[in-house]
């Protein structure tokens, strides 16, 4: 029964495509045409006055086209790809109603859409799942696969490698049509003015057509000019993923070998660096402990306002957390001995993570005290969410010293969930409601 259904599906697609491109695979031909529409739709969205609403519609359309293409090629998307599809839809659809991350949400949506497409075609480096090679998967999705398959759409539309003779005939017919249009042009220059002079209605019709052409056709052709490379990019991504074409620029085995090759720093040097970093943080917190931790007790240091206390050092502490994450990653990657076999390296990594968590907690407490007095705003919520995600990363880093689990996958997906919550929830509206409620009860000024 399944075989009959598949044969019926292929026969139906063949009937649809046969009048246009009779010598190519039906599914690829059909979707090569649909991706031309997708490319034009993307350019139309970016140039339209109702960008937010049209972007939400295009997101749904793009998801439908990719899923239909996979269905037509009888490919079942991996389970994790549905998670990234939900992330993409969560970032794109709410854009029609609200957005608190206008400058970030659109490029993030584009990146997630590319990553989801590669994930749905099952071409992520490690078993079709997000892994510690997520950076290389992202490079594959955004750059390598679409650009190295950039010309596939035109080759599919031209009928493939076996249609050279037909292409030559079509080229001859097209040349004849073009020559006829060139010859007809001076004839029309002579005839049309005479006909417009002979009849006022025809003259009005020509004027209307000229006005319509100047207003709409130029815009249409300009959009079409930019739509072709966009459609080649989008089709190259999905076509490469489906046909395993140019998807092996990065290989897990080679990346594993490269990761082992960079283990050249002596363990003593790595431990010394981490020990020095921990010592500096310990001295800093010992000297500034009263200033740093006063927020935990709800006390404002002398000569500070709430806003000054919350802002001073806040973003510096965020940067320190990010740098410490990089330092911990480099220490584990460059030391000659694996972290699981070197107890000292694991202990120092845990110590640095704990000290970083304390620094991040002071930043959260300072911002929390500021919010308790002056209320919520979008620009106070977003840094708090980023800090909470970073604290989750360091907690996972501590746990990973004693047990094995896919830390990168967990942290990346947790960050994606937080990003979706920011996109889906009307954060600005909720902050206004809270501030109104809290101000009416005298909780904030």
């Amino acid at each position: 029964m399944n075989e009959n259904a598949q044969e019926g599906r292929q026969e139906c697609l063949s009937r649809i495509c046969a009048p246009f491109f009779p010598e190519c695979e039906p599914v690829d031909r059909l979707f090569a045409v649909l991706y031309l529409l997708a490319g034009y739709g993307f350019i139309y969205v970016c140039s339209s006055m109702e960008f937010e609403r049209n972007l939400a519609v295009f997101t749904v359309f793009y998801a439908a086209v990719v899923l239909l293409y996979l269905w037509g090629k009888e490919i079942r998307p991996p389970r994790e790809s549905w998670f990234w599809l939900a992330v993409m839809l969560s970032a794109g659809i709410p854009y029609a109603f609200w957005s608190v991350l206008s400058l970030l949400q659109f490029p993030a949506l584009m990146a997630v859409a590319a990553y989801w497409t590669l994930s749905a075609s099952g071409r992520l480096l490690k078993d079709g799942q997000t892994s510690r090679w997520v950076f290389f998967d992202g490079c594959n999705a955004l750059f390598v696969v679409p650009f190295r398959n950039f010309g596939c759409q035109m080759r599919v539309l031209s009928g493939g490698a076996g249609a050279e003779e037909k292409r030559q005939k079509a080229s001859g017919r097209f040349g004849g049509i073009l020559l006829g249009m060139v010859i007809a042009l001076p004839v029309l220059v002579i005839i049309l003015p005479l006909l417009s002079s002979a009849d006022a209605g025809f003259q009005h019709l020509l004027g209307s057509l000229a006005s319509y052409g100047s207003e709409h056709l130029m815009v249409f052709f300009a959009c079409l000019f930019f739509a072709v490379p966009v459609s080649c990019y989008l089709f190259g991504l999905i076509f490469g993923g489906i046909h395993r074409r140019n998807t092996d620029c990065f290989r897990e085995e080679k990346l594993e070998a490269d990761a082992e090759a960079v283990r050249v720093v002596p363990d003593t040097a790595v431990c010394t660096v981490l020990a020095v970093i921990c010592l500096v943080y310990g001295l800093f917190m010992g000297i500034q402990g009263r200033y740093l931790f006063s927020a935990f007790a709800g006390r404002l240091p002398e000569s500070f306002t709430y806003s000054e206390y919350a802002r001073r050092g806040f973003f510096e502490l965020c940067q320190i957390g990010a740098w410490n994450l990089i330092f911990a990653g480099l220490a584990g990657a460059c030391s000659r001995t694996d972290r699981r076999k070197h107890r000292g390296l694991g202990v120092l990594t845990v110590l640095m993570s704990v000290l970083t968590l304390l620094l991040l907690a002071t930043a959260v407490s300072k911002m929390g005290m500021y919010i308790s007095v002056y209320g919520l705003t979008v620009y106070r919520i977003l840094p708090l969410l980023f800090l909470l995600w970073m604290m989750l990363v360091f907690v996972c880093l501590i746990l990973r010293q004693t047990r094995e689990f896919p830390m990168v996958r967990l942290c990346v997906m947790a960050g994606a969930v937080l990003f979706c919550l920011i996109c889906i929830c009307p954060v600005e509206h909720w902050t206004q409601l809270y501030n109104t409620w809290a101000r009416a009860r005298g909780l904030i000024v």
Side-chain angles (χ1 to χ4, degrees), residues 362-375:
T362 60
V364 172
S365 64
K366 289 163 66 177
M367 183 61 73
M369 190 167 66
Y370 185 34
I371 290 172
S372 67
V373 176
Y374 291 104

Side-chain angles (χ1 to χ4, degrees), residues 167-189:
R167 282 200 299 271
Q168 291 177 356
K169 291 181 180 179
S171 177
R173 288 197 296 268
F174 179 76
I177 293 172
L178 184 62
L179 178 62
M181 293 178 66
V182 171
I183 296 173
L185 186 61
V187 177
L188 292 177
V189 170

Side-chain angles (χ1 to χ4, degrees), residues 420-434:
C420 288
L421 291 176
I422 295 172
C423 296
I424 293 173
C425 301
V427 179
E428 191 169 4
H429 178 64
W430 286 359
T431 57
Q432 292 173 358
L433 290 178
Y434 169 79

